[in-house]
Amino acid sequence: MVISHIGTWFKSAPFLVCSRFFAAIVGGYVFSAIAVSLLAAVVPLPKTDSVLLAVSLSILVYACVFIWVFSVRALRKVYGILILLGTCQALLLAFIKGWL
């Protein structure tokens, strides 16, 4: 009986909206932070210029991820793509920096 109430709670509109906001805010922040680090590492400019360019573009990346989270229908797809792309970016960054 309690399990059926939990199942309906996970499908309720307030939970789905809060989950999307969590994915947009936290997931977007993590995704854009990894993207900025990766971009600063691969741009063939002097170190200060590449960091400034990457930080400037981070605002755009974060805004795009935030908008994208609310435009996708399936919440599982949102979390899956954020986790998959974030992991790929982190592994690529670790490979480029020589951490692996």
Coordinates of all heavy atoms in Angstrom, one line a residue:
M1 N 0.8 -1.2 0.0 CA 0.0 0.0 0.0 C 0.9 1.3 0.0 O 0.6 2.2 -0.7 CB -0.9 0.0 1.2 CG -1.9 1.0 1.2 SD -3.2 0.5 2.3 CE -4.5 1.4 1.7
V2 N 1.9 1.3 0.8 CA 2.8 2.4 0.9 C 3.6 2.5 -0.5 O 3.8 3.6 -1.0 CB 3.8 2.3 2.0 CG1 4.8 3.4 2.0 CG2 3.0 2.3 3.3
I3 N 3.9 1.4 -1.1 CA 4.7 1.4 -2.3 C 3.9 2.0 -3.4 O 4.4 2.8 -4.3 CB 5.2 0.0 -2.7 CG1 6.1 -0.5 -1.6 CG2 5.8 -0.1 -4.0 CD1 6.6 -1.9 -1.8
S4 N 2.6 1.8 -3.5 CA 1.8 2.4 -4.5 C 1.7 3.9 -4.4 O 1.6 4.6 -5.4 CB 0.4 1.8 -4.5 OG -0.3 2.1 -3.3
H5 N 1.7 4.4 -3.1 CA 1.7 5.8 -2.9 C 3.0 6.5 -3.4 O 3.0 7.6 -3.9 CB 1.4 6.2 -1.5 CG 0.0 5.8 -1.0 ND1 -1.1 6.5 -1.5 CD2 -0.4 4.9 -0.1 CE1 -2.1 6.0 -1.0 NE2 -1.8 5.1 -0.1
I6 N 4.1 5.8 -3.1 CA 5.4 6.3 -3.6 C 5.5 6.3 -5.1 O 6.0 7.3 -5.7 CB 6.6 5.4 -3.0 CG1 6.6 5.6 -1.5 CG2 7.9 5.8 -3.6 CD1 7.6 4.7 -0.7
G7 N 5.0 5.3 -5.7 CA 5.0 5.2 -7.2 C 4.2 6.4 -7.8 O 4.6 7.0 -8.8
T8 N 3.0 6.7 -7.2 CA 2.2 7.8 -7.7 C 2.9 9.2 -7.4 O 2.8 10.1 -8.1 CB 0.8 7.8 -7.1 OG1 0.9 7.8 -5.7 CG2 0.1 6.6 -7.6
W9 N 3.6 9.2 -6.3 CA 4.3 10.5 -5.9 C 5.4 10.8 -7.0 O 5.6 11.9 -7.3 CB 4.9 10.4 -4.5 CG 5.6 11.6 -4.1 CD1 4.9 12.8 -3.7 CD2 6.9 11.9 -4.0 NE1 5.8 13.7 -3.4 CE2 7.1 13.2 -3.5 CE3 8.1 11.2 -4.3 CZ2 8.3 13.8 -3.3 CZ3 9.3 11.8 -4.1 CH2 9.4 13.1 -3.6
F10 N 6.2 9.8 -7.4 CA 7.2 10.0 -8.4 C 6.6 10.4 -9.8 O 7.4 10.9 -10.6 CB 8.1 8.7 -8.6 CG 9.1 8.5 -7.5 CD1 9.1 7.4 -6.8 CD2 10.0 9.5 -7.3 CE1 10.0 7.2 -5.8 CE2 11.0 9.3 -6.3 CZ 11.0 8.2 -5.5
K11 N 5.4 10.1 -10.0 CA 4.8 10.5 -11.3 C 4.0 11.8 -11.1 O 3.4 12.3 -12.1 CB 3.8 9.4 -11.8 CG 4.6 8.2 -12.1 CD 3.7 7.1 -12.6 CE 4.5 5.8 -12.9 NZ 3.6 4.7 -13.2
S12 N 4.0 12.4 -10.0 CA 3.2 13.7 -9.8 C 3.9 14.8 -10.4 O 5.1 14.9 -10.6 CB 3.0 13.9 -8.3 OG 4.2 14.2 -7.7
A13 N 3.1 15.8 -10.8 CA 3.6 17.0 -11.4 C 4.6 17.8 -10.6 O 5.6 18.2 -11.1 CB 2.4 17.9 -11.9
P14 N 4.4 18.0 -9.3 CA 5.4 18.7 -8.5 C 6.7 18.0 -8.5 O 7.8 18.7 -8.6 CB 4.8 18.8 -7.1 CG 3.3 18.7 -7.3 CD 3.2 17.8 -8.5
F15 N 6.7 16.7 -8.4 CA 8.0 16.0 -8.3 C 8.7 16.1 -9.7 O 9.9 16.3 -9.7 CB 7.8 14.5 -8.0 CG 9.1 13.7 -8.1 CD1 10.0 13.8 -7.1 CD2 9.3 12.9 -9.2 CE1 11.2 13.1 -7.2 CE2 10.5 12.2 -9.3 CZ 11.5 12.3 -8.3
L16 N 8.0 16.0 -10.8 CA 8.6 16.1 -12.1 C 9.2 17.5 -12.4 O 10.2 17.6 -13.0 CB 7.6 15.7 -13.2 CG 7.1 14.2 -13.1 CD1 6.0 14.0 -14.2 CD2 8.2 13.3 -13.4
V17 N 8.5 18.5 -12.0 CA 9.0 19.8 -12.2 C 10.2 20.1 -11.3 O 11.2 20.6 -11.8 CB 7.9 20.9 -11.9 CG1 8.4 22.3 -11.8 CG2 6.8 20.8 -12.9
C18 N 10.2 19.7 -10.0 CA 11.3 19.8 -9.2 C 12.5 19.0 -9.7 O 13.7 19.5 -9.6 CB 11.0 19.4 -7.7 SG 9.9 20.6 -6.9
S19 N 12.3 17.9 -10.2 CA 13.3 17.0 -10.8 C 13.9 17.7 -12.0 O 15.2 17.6 -12.2 CB 12.8 15.6 -11.1 OG 13.8 14.8 -11.6
R20 N 13.1 18.3 -12.8 CA 13.7 19.0 -14.0 C 14.5 20.3 -13.5 O 15.5 20.5 -14.1 CB 12.5 19.5 -14.9 CG 12.0 18.3 -15.8 CD 11.2 18.8 -16.9 NE 10.5 17.7 -17.5 CZ 11.0 17.1 -18.6 NH1 12.1 17.5 -19.1 NH2 10.4 16.1 -19.1
F21 N 14.0 21.0 -12.5 CA 14.8 22.1 -12.0 C 16.1 21.6 -11.5 O 17.1 22.3 -11.6 CB 14.0 22.9 -11.0 CG 13.2 24.0 -11.6 CD1 11.8 24.0 -11.6 CD2 13.8 25.1 -12.1 CE1 11.1 25.0 -12.1 CE2 13.1 26.2 -12.7 CZ 11.7 26.1 -12.7
F22 N 16.1 20.5 -10.8 CA 17.3 19.9 -10.2 C 18.3 19.6 -11.4 O 19.5 19.9 -11.3 CB 17.1 18.7 -9.4 CG 18.3 18.1 -8.8 CD1 18.9 18.6 -7.7 CD2 18.8 17.0 -9.3 CE1 20.0 18.1 -7.1 CE2 20.0 16.4 -8.8 CZ 20.6 17.0 -7.7
A23 N 17.8 18.9 -12.4 CA 18.6 18.6 -13.5 C 19.1 19.8 -14.2 O 20.3 19.8 -14.7 CB 17.8 17.7 -14.5
A24 N 18.3 20.8 -14.4 CA 18.7 22.0 -15.1 C 19.8 22.8 -14.3 O 20.8 23.2 -14.8 CB 17.5 22.9 -15.3
I25 N 19.6 22.9 -13.0 CA 20.5 23.7 -12.1 C 21.8 23.0 -11.8 O 22.8 23.4 -12.2 CB 19.8 24.2 -10.8 CG1 18.6 25.2 -11.2 CG2 20.8 24.8 -9.9 CD1 17.7 25.5 -10.0
V26 N 21.6 21.8 -11.2 CA 22.8 21.1 -10.8 C 23.5 20.4 -12.0 O 24.7 20.5 -12.2 CB 22.5 20.0 -9.7 CG1 23.7 19.2 -9.4 CG2 21.9 20.7 -8.5
G27 N 22.7 19.7 -12.9 CA 23.3 19.1 -14.0 C 23.8 20.0 -15.0 O 24.9 19.8 -15.6
G28 N 23.2 21.2 -15.2 CA 23.7 22.2 -16.1 C 25.0 22.8 -15.6 O 25.9 23.1 -16.4
Y29 N 25.1 23.0 -14.3 CA 26.3 23.5 -13.7 C 27.5 22.6 -13.9 O 28.5 23.0 -14.3 CB 26.1 23.8 -12.2 CG 27.3 24.3 -11.5 CD1 27.8 25.6 -11.7 CD2 28.1 23.4 -10.8 CE1 28.9 26.1 -11.1 CE2 29.3 23.9 -10.2 CZ 29.7 25.2 -10.4 OH 30.8 25.6 -9.8
V30 N 27.2 21.3 -13.6 CA 28.3 20.3 -13.7 C 28.7 20.1 -15.2 O 29.9 20.1 -15.5 CB 27.9 19.0 -13.1 CG1 28.9 17.9 -13.4 CG2 27.7 19.1 -11.6
F31 N 27.7 20.1 -16.0 CA 28.0 19.9 -17.5 C 28.8 21.1 -18.0 O 29.8 20.9 -18.7 CB 26.7 19.8 -18.2 CG 26.9 19.5 -19.7 CD1 27.1 18.2 -20.2 CD2 26.8 20.5 -20.6 CE1 27.3 18.0 -21.5 CE2 27.0 20.3 -22.0 CZ 27.2 19.0 -22.4
S32 N 28.4 22.3 -17.6 CA 29.1 23.5 -18.1 C 30.5 23.6 -17.5 O 31.4 24.1 -18.2 CB 28.3 24.7 -17.9 OG 28.1 25.0 -16.6
A33 N 30.6 23.2 -16.3 CA 32.0 23.3 -15.6 C 32.9 22.3 -16.3 O 34.1 22.7 -16.6 CB 31.8 22.9 -14.2
I34 N 32.5 21.1 -16.6 CA 33.4 20.2 -17.3 C 33.6 20.7 -18.8 O 34.8 20.6 -19.3 CB 32.7 18.8 -17.3 CG1 32.6 18.2 -15.9 CG2 33.6 17.8 -18.2 CD1 31.8 17.0 -15.8
A35 N 32.6 21.2 -19.4 CA 32.8 21.7 -20.8 C 33.8 22.9 -20.8 O 34.6 23.0 -21.7 CB 31.5 22.2 -21.4
V36 N 33.7 23.8 -19.8 CA 34.7 24.9 -19.7 C 36.1 24.4 -19.5 O 37.0 24.9 -20.2 CB 34.3 25.8 -18.6 CG1 35.4 26.8 -18.2 CG2 33.0 26.6 -19.0
S37 N 36.3 23.4 -18.7 CA 37.6 22.9 -18.4 C 38.1 22.2 -19.7 O 39.3 22.4 -20.0 CB 37.5 21.8 -17.3 OG 37.1 22.4 -16.1
L38 N 37.3 21.5 -20.4 CA 37.7 20.8 -21.6 C 38.0 21.8 -22.7 O 39.0 21.7 -23.4 CB 36.6 19.8 -22.1 CG 36.9 19.0 -23.3 CD1 38.1 18.1 -23.1 CD2 35.7 18.2 -23.7
L39 N 37.2 22.8 -22.8 CA 37.4 23.8 -23.8 C 38.7 24.6 -23.6 O 39.4 24.9 -24.5 CB 36.2 24.8 -23.9 CG 36.2 25.9 -25.0 CD1 36.2 25.2 -26.4 CD2 35.0 26.8 -24.9
A40 N 38.9 25.0 -22.3 CA 40.2 25.7 -22.0 C 41.4 24.9 -22.3 O 42.5 25.4 -22.6 CB 40.1 26.1 -20.5
A41 N 41.3 23.6 -22.2 CA 42.4 22.7 -22.4 C 42.7 22.5 -23.9 O 43.8 22.3 -24.3 CB 42.2 21.3 -21.8
V42 N 41.7 22.6 -24.8 CA 41.9 22.2 -26.2 C 42.0 23.4 -27.1 O 42.4 23.3 -28.2 CB 40.8 21.3 -26.7 CG1 40.8 20.0 -26.0 CG2 39.4 21.9 -26.7
V43 N 41.6 24.6 -26.7 CA 41.7 25.8 -27.5 C 43.2 26.2 -27.7 O 43.9 26.4 -26.7 CB 40.9 27.0 -26.9 CG1 41.1 28.2 -27.7 CG2 39.4 26.6 -26.9
P44 N 43.6 26.3 -28.9 CA 45.0 26.6 -29.2 C 45.3 28.1 -29.1 O 45.7 28.8 -30.0 CB 45.3 26.1 -30.6 CG 44.0 26.3 -31.3 CD 42.9 26.0 -30.2
L45 N 45.1 28.7 -27.9 CA 45.4 30.1 -27.6 C 46.3 30.1 -26.4 O 46.5 29.1 -25.7 CB 44.1 30.8 -27.3 CG 43.2 31.1 -28.4 CD1 41.9 31.7 -27.9 CD2 43.8 31.9 -29.5
P46 N 46.9 31.3 -26.0 CA 47.6 31.4 -24.8 C 46.7 31.0 -23.6 O 45.4 31.2 -23.7 CB 48.0 32.8 -24.7 CG 48.1 33.3 -26.1 CD 47.0 32.5 -26.8
K47 N 47.3 30.5 -22.5 CA 46.5 30.0 -21.4 C 45.4 31.0 -20.9 O 44.3 30.6 -20.7 CB 47.4 29.6 -20.3 CG 46.8 28.9 -19.2 CD 46.6 27.5 -19.6 CE 46.4 26.6 -18.4 NZ 46.0 25.3 -18.7
T48 N 45.8 32.2 -20.7 CA 44.8 33.2 -20.2 C 43.7 33.5 -21.2 O 42.5 33.6 -20.8 CB 45.5 34.5 -19.8 OG1 46.2 35.0 -21.0 CG2 46.5 34.4 -18.7
D49 N 44.0 33.5 -22.5 CA 43.0 33.8 -23.5 C 42.0 32.6 -23.6 O 40.8 32.8 -23.7 CB 43.6 34.1 -24.8 CG 44.4 35.4 -24.8 OD1 44.0 36.2 -24.0 OD2 45.2 35.6 -25.7
S50 N 42.6 31.4 -23.5 CA 41.7 30.2 -23.6 C 40.8 30.1 -22.4 O 39.6 29.7 -22.6 CB 42.5 28.9 -23.8 OG 43.3 28.7 -22.7
V51 N 41.3 30.4 -21.2 CA 40.4 30.4 -20.0 C 39.3 31.4 -20.1 O 38.2 31.2 -19.8 CB 41.3 30.5 -18.8 CG1 40.4 30.7 -17.5 CG2 42.2 29.3 -18.6
L52 N 39.7 32.6 -20.5 CA 38.7 33.7 -20.6 C 37.6 33.4 -21.7 O 36.4 33.6 -21.5 CB 39.4 35.0 -21.0 CG 40.1 35.7 -19.8 CD1 40.9 36.9 -20.3 CD2 39.2 36.1 -18.7
L53 N 38.0 32.8 -22.8 CA 37.1 32.4 -23.8 C 36.1 31.3 -23.3 O 34.9 31.4 -23.5 CB 37.8 31.9 -25.1 CG 36.9 31.3 -26.2 CD1 36.1 32.4 -26.8 CD2 37.7 30.6 -27.2
A54 N 36.7 30.3 -22.6 CA 35.9 29.2 -22.1 C 34.9 29.7 -21.0 O 33.8 29.3 -21.0 CB 36.8 28.1 -21.5
V55 N 35.4 30.6 -20.2 CA 34.5 31.1 -19.1 C 33.4 31.9 -19.7 O 32.2 31.9 -19.3 CB 35.3 31.9 -18.1 CG1 34.4 32.7 -17.1 CG2 36.2 31.0 -17.3
S56 N 33.7 32.7 -20.8 CA 32.7 33.5 -21.4 C 31.6 32.6 -22.1 O 30.4 32.9 -22.1 CB 33.3 34.4 -22.5 OG 34.2 35.3 -21.9
L57 N 32.1 31.5 -22.7 CA 31.1 30.6 -23.4 C 30.4 29.7 -22.4 O 29.4 29.1 -22.7 CB 31.9 29.7 -24.3 CG 32.4 30.4 -25.6 CD1 33.2 29.5 -26.5 CD2 31.3 31.0 -26.4
S58 N 30.8 29.6 -21.1 CA 30.2 28.8 -20.1 C 28.8 29.3 -19.9 O 27.8 28.5 -19.6 CB 31.0 28.7 -18.8 OG 30.9 30.0 -18.2
I59 N 28.6 30.6 -19.9 CA 27.2 31.2 -19.7 C 26.3 30.7 -20.8 O 25.1 30.3 -20.5 CB 27.3 32.7 -19.7 CG1 28.2 33.2 -18.5 CG2 25.9 33.3 -19.6 CD1 28.6 34.6 -18.6
L60 N 26.8 30.7 -22.0 CA 25.9 30.2 -23.1 C 25.6 28.7 -23.0 O 24.5 28.3 -23.2 CB 26.7 30.5 -24.5 CG 26.0 30.0 -25.7 CD1 24.7 30.8 -25.9 CD2 26.9 30.1 -26.9
V61 N 26.6 27.9 -22.6 CA 26.5 26.5 -22.5 C 25.4 26.2 -21.4 O 24.5 25.4 -21.5 CB 27.8 25.8 -22.2 CG1 27.6 24.3 -21.8 CG2 28.7 25.9 -23.4
Y62 N 25.6 26.9 -20.2 CA 24.7 26.7 -19.1 C 23.2 27.0 -19.5 O 22.3 26.3 -19.2 CB 25.1 27.5 -17.9 CG 24.3 27.3 -16.7 CD1 24.4 26.1 -16.0 CD2 23.5 28.2 -16.2 CE1 23.7 25.9 -14.8 CE2 22.7 28.0 -15.0 CZ 22.8 26.8 -14.4 OH 22.1 26.6 -13.2
A63 N 23.1 28.2 -20.2 CA 21.7 28.6 -20.6 C 21.1 27.6 -21.6 O 19.9 27.3 -21.5 CB 21.8 30.0 -21.2
C64 N 21.9 27.1 -22.5 CA 21.4 26.1 -23.5 C 21.0 24.8 -22.8 O 20.0 24.2 -23.1 CB 22.5 25.8 -24.6 SG 22.7 27.2 -25.7
V65 N 21.8 24.3 -21.8 CA 21.4 23.1 -21.1 C 20.2 23.3 -20.3 O 19.3 22.5 -20.3 CB 22.6 22.6 -20.2 CG1 22.2 21.5 -19.3 CG2 23.8 22.2 -21.0
F66 N 20.1 24.5 -19.7 CA 18.9 24.8 -18.9 C 17.6 24.8 -19.8 O 16.6 24.2 -19.4 CB 19.0 26.2 -18.2 CG 18.1 26.4 -17.1 CD1 18.6 26.2 -15.8 CD2 16.8 26.8 -17.2 CE1 17.7 26.4 -14.7 CE2 16.0 27.0 -16.2 CZ 16.5 26.8 -14.9
I67 N 17.7 25.4 -20.9 CA 16.5 25.4 -21.8 C 16.2 24.0 -22.4 O 15.1 23.6 -22.5 CB 16.8 26.4 -23.0 CG1 16.8 27.8 -22.4 CG2 15.7 26.2 -24.1 CD1 17.3 28.8 -23.4
W68 N 17.3 23.3 -22.7 CA 17.2 21.9 -23.3 C 16.5 21.0 -22.3 O 15.6 20.1 -22.7 CB 18.5 21.4 -23.7 CG 18.5 20.0 -24.1 CD1 18.1 19.5 -25.3 CD2 18.8 18.8 -23.3 NE1 18.1 18.1 -25.3 CE2 18.6 17.7 -24.1 CE3 19.3 18.6 -22.0 CZ2 18.8 16.4 -23.7 CZ3 19.5 17.4 -21.6 CH2 19.3 16.3 -22.4
V69 N 16.8 21.1 -21.0 CA 16.2 20.2 -20.0 C 14.7 20.3 -20.0 O 14.0 19.3 -19.8 CB 16.8 20.5 -18.6 CG1 15.9 19.9 -17.5 CG2 18.2 20.0 -18.5
F70 N 14.2 21.5 -20.2 CA 12.7 21.7 -20.2 C 12.1 21.5 -21.5 O 10.9 21.4 -21.6 CB 12.4 23.1 -19.7 CG 12.5 23.2 -18.2 CD1 13.7 23.8 -17.7 CD2 11.6 22.8 -17.3 CE1 13.9 23.9 -16.3 CE2 11.7 22.9 -16.0 CZ 12.9 23.4 -15.5
S71 N 12.9 21.3 -22.6 CA 12.3 21.0 -23.9 C 12.1 19.5 -24.2 O 11.4 19.2 -25.1 CB 13.1 21.7 -25.0 OG 14.4 21.1 -25.1
V72 N 12.8 18.7 -23.5 CA 12.8 17.2 -23.7 C 11.6 16.7 -23.0 O 11.4 17.0 -21.8 CB 14.1 16.6 -23.3 CG1 14.0 15.1 -23.4 CG2 15.2 17.1 -24.1
R73 N 10.9 15.7 -23.6 CA 9.7 15.1 -22.9 C 10.1 14.2 -21.8 O 9.5 14.2 -20.7 CB 8.9 14.4 -24.0 CG 8.0 15.3 -24.7 CD 7.1 14.5 -25.6 NE 6.3 15.4 -26.4 CZ 5.0 15.5 -26.3 NH1 4.3 14.7 -25.5 NH2 4.3 16.3 -27.1
A74 N 11.0 13.2 -22.1 CA 11.3 12.2 -21.2 C 12.4 12.6 -20.2 O 13.4 13.0 -20.6 CB 11.7 10.9 -21.9
L75 N 12.0 12.5 -18.9 CA 13.0 12.9 -17.9 C 14.2 11.9 -17.8 O 15.3 12.4 -17.5 CB 12.2 13.0 -16.5 CG 12.9 13.6 -15.4 CD1 13.3 15.1 -15.7 CD2 12.1 13.6 -14.1
R76 N 13.9 10.7 -18.1 CA 15.0 9.7 -18.1 C 16.0 10.1 -19.2 O 17.2 9.9 -19.0 CB 14.5 8.3 -18.3 CG 13.7 7.7 -17.2 CD 13.3 6.3 -17.4 NE 12.5 5.9 -16.4 CZ 12.0 4.6 -16.3 NH1 12.4 3.7 -17.2 NH2 11.3 4.3 -15.3
K77 N 15.5 10.5 -20.3 CA 16.4 10.9 -21.4 C 17.3 12.1 -21.0 O 18.5 12.2 -21.3 CB 15.6 11.3 -22.6 CG 16.4 11.6 -23.8 CD 15.5 11.8 -25.0 CE 16.3 12.1 -26.3 NZ 15.4 12.3 -27.4
V78 N 16.7 13.0 -20.2 CA 17.5 14.2 -19.8 C 18.6 13.8 -18.9 O 19.8 14.1 -19.1 CB 16.6 15.2 -19.0 CG1 17.3 16.2 -18.3 CG2 15.6 15.8 -19.9
Y79 N 18.3 13.0 -17.8 CA 19.4 12.5 -16.9 C 20.4 11.6 -17.6 O 21.6 11.7 -17.4 CB 18.7 11.8 -15.7 CG 18.2 12.7 -14.7 CD1 16.8 12.9 -14.5 CD2 19.1 13.4 -13.9 CE1 16.4 13.8 -13.6 CE2 18.6 14.3 -12.9 CZ 17.2 14.5 -12.7 OH 16.8 15.3 -11.8
G80 N 19.9 10.8 -18.5 CA 20.8 9.9 -19.2 C 21.8 10.6 -20.1 O 23.0 10.3 -20.1
I81 N 21.3 11.6 -20.8 CA 22.2 12.3 -21.7 C 23.1 13.2 -20.9 O 24.3 13.3 -21.3 CB 21.4 13.1 -22.7 CG1 20.7 12.2 -23.7 CG2 22.2 14.2 -23.5 CD1 19.8 12.8 -24.7
L82 N 22.7 13.8 -19.9 CA 23.6 14.7 -19.0 C 24.7 13.8 -18.4 O 25.8 14.2 -18.4 CB 22.8 15.4 -18.0 CG 22.0 16.6 -18.4 CD1 21.2 17.2 -17.2 CD2 22.9 17.7 -18.9
I83 N 24.3 12.7 -17.9 CA 25.3 11.8 -17.3 C 26.3 11.2 -18.3 O 27.5 11.2 -18.1 CB 24.6 10.7 -16.5 CG1 23.9 11.3 -15.3 CG2 25.6 9.6 -16.1 CD1 23.1 10.3 -14.5
L84 N 25.7 10.8 -19.5 CA 26.6 10.2 -20.5 C 27.5 11.3 -21.1 O 28.8 11.0 -21.2 CB 25.7 9.6 -21.6 CG 26.5 9.0 -22.8 CD1 27.2 7.7 -22.3 CD2 25.5 8.7 -23.9
L85 N 27.0 12.4 -21.5 CA 27.9 13.4 -22.0 C 28.9 14.0 -21.0 O 30.0 14.3 -21.4 CB 27.1 14.5 -22.7 CG 26.3 14.2 -23.9 CD1 25.5 15.4 -24.4 CD2 27.3 13.7 -25.0
G86 N 28.4 14.2 -19.8 CA 29.3 14.7 -18.7 C 30.5 13.7 -18.5 O 31.6 14.1 -18.3
T87 N 30.2 12.4 -18.5 CA 31.2 11.4 -18.2 C 32.2 11.3 -19.4 O 33.4 11.3 -19.2 CB 30.5 10.0 -18.0 OG1 29.6 10.1 -17.0 CG2 31.6 8.9 -17.8
C88 N 31.6 11.4 -20.6 CA 32.5 11.4 -21.8 C 33.4 12.6 -21.8 O 34.6 12.5 -22.1 CB 31.7 11.4 -23.1 SG 30.9 9.9 -23.4
Q89 N 32.9 13.8 -21.5 CA 33.7 15.0 -21.4 C 34.8 14.9 -20.3 O 35.9 15.3 -20.5 CB 32.9 16.2 -21.1 CG 32.1 16.7 -22.2 CD 31.3 17.9 -21.9 OE1 31.4 18.5 -20.8 NE2 30.5 18.4 -22.8
A90 N 34.4 14.3 -19.2 CA 35.4 14.2 -18.1 C 36.5 13.2 -18.4 O 37.6 13.4 -18.1 CB 34.6 13.8 -16.8
L91 N 36.1 12.1 -19.1 CA 37.1 11.1 -19.5 C 38.1 11.7 -20.6 O 39.3 11.5 -20.5 CB 36.5 9.9 -20.0 CG 35.8 9.0 -19.0 CD1 35.1 7.8 -19.7 CD2 36.9 8.4 -18.0
L92 N 37.5 12.5 -21.5 CA 38.3 13.1 -22.5 C 39.3 14.2 -21.9 O 40.5 14.2 -22.2 CB 37.4 13.8 -23.6 CG 38.1 14.4 -24.8 CD1 38.9 13.4 -25.5 CD2 37.1 15.1 -25.7
L93 N 38.8 14.9 -20.9 CA 39.6 15.9 -20.2 C 40.7 15.2 -19.4 O 41.9 15.6 -19.4 CB 38.8 16.7 -19.3 CG 39.5 17.8 -18.5 CD1 40.1 18.8 -19.4 CD2 38.5 18.4 -17.4
A94 N 40.4 14.1 -18.8 CA 41.4 13.3 -18.0 C 42.4 12.8 -18.9 O 43.6 12.7 -18.6 CB 40.7 12.2 -17.2
F95 N 42.0 12.3 -20.1 CA 43.0 11.8 -21.1 C 43.9 12.9 -21.6 O 45.1 12.7 -21.8 CB 42.2 11.1 -22.2 CG 43.1 10.5 -23.3 CD1 43.8 9.3 -23.0 CD2 43.2 11.1 -24.5 CE1 44.6 8.8 -23.9 CE2 44.0 10.5 -25.5 CZ 44.8 9.4 -25.2
I96 N 43.3 14.0 -21.9 CA 44.1 15.2 -22.5 C 45.1 15.7 -21.4 O 46.3 15.9 -21.7 CB 43.2 16.3 -22.9 CG1 42.5 15.9 -24.2 CG2 44.0 17.6 -23.2 CD1 41.4 16.8 -24.7
K97 N 44.7 15.8 -20.2 CA 45.5 16.3 -19.1 C 46.5 15.2 -18.6 O 47.4 15.6 -17.8 CB 44.7 16.8 -17.9 CG 43.9 18.0 -18.2 CD 44.9 19.2 -18.3 CE 44.2 20.5 -18.3 NZ 45.1 21.6 -18.2
G98 N 46.3 14.0 -19.0 CA 47.3 12.9 -18.5 C 47.0 12.4 -17.2 O 47.8 11.9 -16.5
W99 N 45.7 12.5 -16.7 CA 45.3 12.0 -15.4 C 45.1 10.5 -15.4 O 45.0 9.9 -14.4 CB 44.1 12.8 -14.9 CG 44.3 14.2 -14.7 CD1 45.5 14.9 -14.5 CD2 43.3 15.3 -14.7 NE1 45.3 16.2 -14.3 CE2 44.0 16.5 -14.5 CE3 42.0 15.3 -14.9 CZ2 43.3 17.7 -14.5 CZ3 41.3 16.5 -14.9 CH2 42.0 17.7 -14.7
L100 N 44.9 10.0 -16.6 CA 44.6 8.5 -16.7 C 45.8 7.8 -17.1 O 46.6 8.1 -17.8 CB 43.5 8.3 -17.7 CG 42.1 8.7 -17.3 CD1 41.1 8.3 -18.4 CD2 41.7 8.0 -16.1

